[in-house]
Amino acid sequence: MHMKKKGVRFLAGIIACMVLAQAAGPVRAANISELEQQKKELEKQKKEVDERKKQEQQNYNKASGKVNAIQSDADAVGEEIDEIDAALVETLASVELIEEDIEKKEGQIAQTTEELEEATETEKEQYKAMKLRIQFMYEKGETTYLQLLLESQGFADMVNKVEYIEKLYEYDRALLEQYHAAKEAVEQLKQKLEEERSELEAQEHELMEEKESLEIILAQKQEEFEDYEVQLAQAKQEAAVFKANIKKQNDEIRKLEAAASQKQSEIDAAKKAEEEARKAQELALQKQAQQEAASSGEGSSGSTSKDSSSGSTSSGKSYASASSYSGSGSKGSQIANYACQFVGNPYVSGGTSLTQGADCSGFVWRVFQDFGVSVPRTSYSLRSSGSGVSYSEAQPGDVVCYAGHVGIYIGNGQIVHASTQRTGIKITNATYKEILSVRRIV
């Protein structure tokens, strides 16, 4: 009878647990499955947004590259405009100098013309005087030259008269030839001055044509620069739209991640509740079995546990200090080697940071500054710093100057320089454009 009652109680406990499990189990299973499905949907949405973000990032990168390319082209055109402006100023200055020379030549021609007229008049007057004297000597009123000689007191007197007449004639003739030569010299001088004026006028004409040509080219370059400005504004606006989309998608991804995390928390909570219900169910069965087997002292218990751990590392790029290069070759070589380690870092207009960004003169200024050497901050001033050497004599550490640009010579016909916003700090052949000068600082 006692055994029968124990069997009835055990069976009742089993039935009660089964009823409890049937009542709670399906609800929890359905709830977990639904939560997992919702989480999968969130992860799917996040993946789709990630794909859209990836595409937008590619579009943004292309737009940024386009911005940098346009900016580089605009900078190049800006440099050409500066060069044309300088050439135009030089041409105008040359025109002014030639106009001054023409004015001087015209004054000299006017003075020479007056001198020529005076010489011509003097020649004419001398010629008239000579003719009158010859006529007087030969005619002497109504007395003929033969009579004048016959009336001589003697042969000696006649010879003297003849010699006097010949000397007077020779004097007049020599004087006339002198005036004639002077007139020809003045005429030649006038002709030479007129030829020089003609040459100056031709030069002025050529310079005016050059000025007109430069003005046309300048107008074209300014129009091209303005067009680049419009393109640059459009490209920046396009990049800004892509960047805004990326930000919006990042916000959406964070929200989806938060929602998925929340769903995972709900899933974990549901699974925990299910596990606790299962354990409670098992515990109830164990208690029921213990009660039924109390007389025999049966029972069991156990537990397991797991443990895990994880770690992470991080790394970053580092740069050697200028002082670490001391003792390795000449000071110029130290500067060149030190500068090369910053290749790949960005170009920033007006910047002087070797890591965060610098322009061409800011890069040179900072490198020399790190070695305690003071140099000018602008590329124009760097042209007159230190001492000039020829390119064939260039050594590592020399500053190579171009029109509106500078770099540091590193040897083997190469320079390291902050090139453009598109390419940043890089190594280039030193003769990639015309070299204006090479300056030795150290």
Side-chain angles (χ1 to χ4, degrees), residues 392-409:
S392 62
E393 299 173 326
Q395 296 178 2
D398 289 347
V399 177
V400 182
C401 302
Y402 308 88
H405 191 70
V406 290
I408 298 174
Y409 188 72

Side-chain angles (χ1 to χ4, degrees), residues 215-388:
E215 287 176 342
I216 292 172
I217 295 173
L218 180 61
Q220 291 173 345
K221 290 297 178 181
Q222 287 176 337
E223 183 178 351
E224 186 178 350
F225 184 79
E226 290 172 358
D227 183 56
Y228 277 130
E229 288 291 314
V230 173
Q231 293 181 35
L232 186 61
Q234 292 175 345
K236 285 182 176 179
Q237 184 177 6
E238 184 179 354
V241 170
F242 291 135
K243 188 174 182 179
N245 289 340
I246 292 171
K247 182 179 182 301
K248 181 179 178 182
Q249 287 155 358
N250 282 333
D251 292 340
E252 188 174 353
I253 288 171
R254 281 193 292 271
K255 290 178 181 178
L256 289 170
E257 286 176 343
S261 177
Q262 179 62 32
K263 288 298 176 185
Q264 185 62 51
S265 297
E266 293 177 8
I267 290 170
D268 292 341
K271 286 182 176 180
K272 184 178 179 181
E274 184 180 38
E275 180 67 15
E276 289 176 350
R278 184 184 63 79
K279 288 180 178 180
Q281 191 176 36
E282 289 178 353
L283 184 60
L285 290 172
Q286 289 173 3
K287 286 182 178 179
Q288 183 67 31
Q290 289 172 359
Q291 289 175 0
E292 295 296 329
S295 58
S296 61
E298 296 178 355
S300 65
S301 64
S303 64
T304 62
S305 65
K306 296 185 198 177
D307 196 8
S308 64
S309 63
S310 64
S312 62
T313 63
S314 62
S315 64
K317 185 176 180 181
S318 61
Y319 301 93
S321 65
S323 61
S324 65
Y325 285 84
S326 61
S328 58
S330 65
K331 189 68 168 288
S333 297
Q334 296 172 23
I335 289 173
N337 293 333
Y338 174 70
C340 288
Q341 68 175 329
F342 301 103
V343 169
N345 289 342
Y347 175 102
V348 175
S349 179
T352 58
S353 173
L354 300 177
T355 56
Q356 300 302 314
D359 57 22
C360 64
S361 57
F363 175 72
V364 173
W365 179 84
R366 174 56 65 186
V367 169
F368 278 89
Q369 188 80 6
D370 286 354
F371 280 86
V373 179
S374 178
V375 295
R377 173 61 182 82
T378 65
S379 58
Y380 179 81
S381 298
L382 279 166
R383 287 194 211 171
S384 57
S385 62
S387 59

Side-chain angles (χ1 to χ4, degrees), residues 162-181:
V162 171
E163 288 178 353
Y164 172 74
I165 292 170
E166 287 179 353
K167 287 180 180 179
L168 186 61
Y169 171 74
E170 288 174 358
Y171 170 78
D172 283 338
R173 184 176 182 82
L175 192 60
L176 182 61
E177 288 176 353
Q178 181 181 350
Y179 281 121
H180 184 70

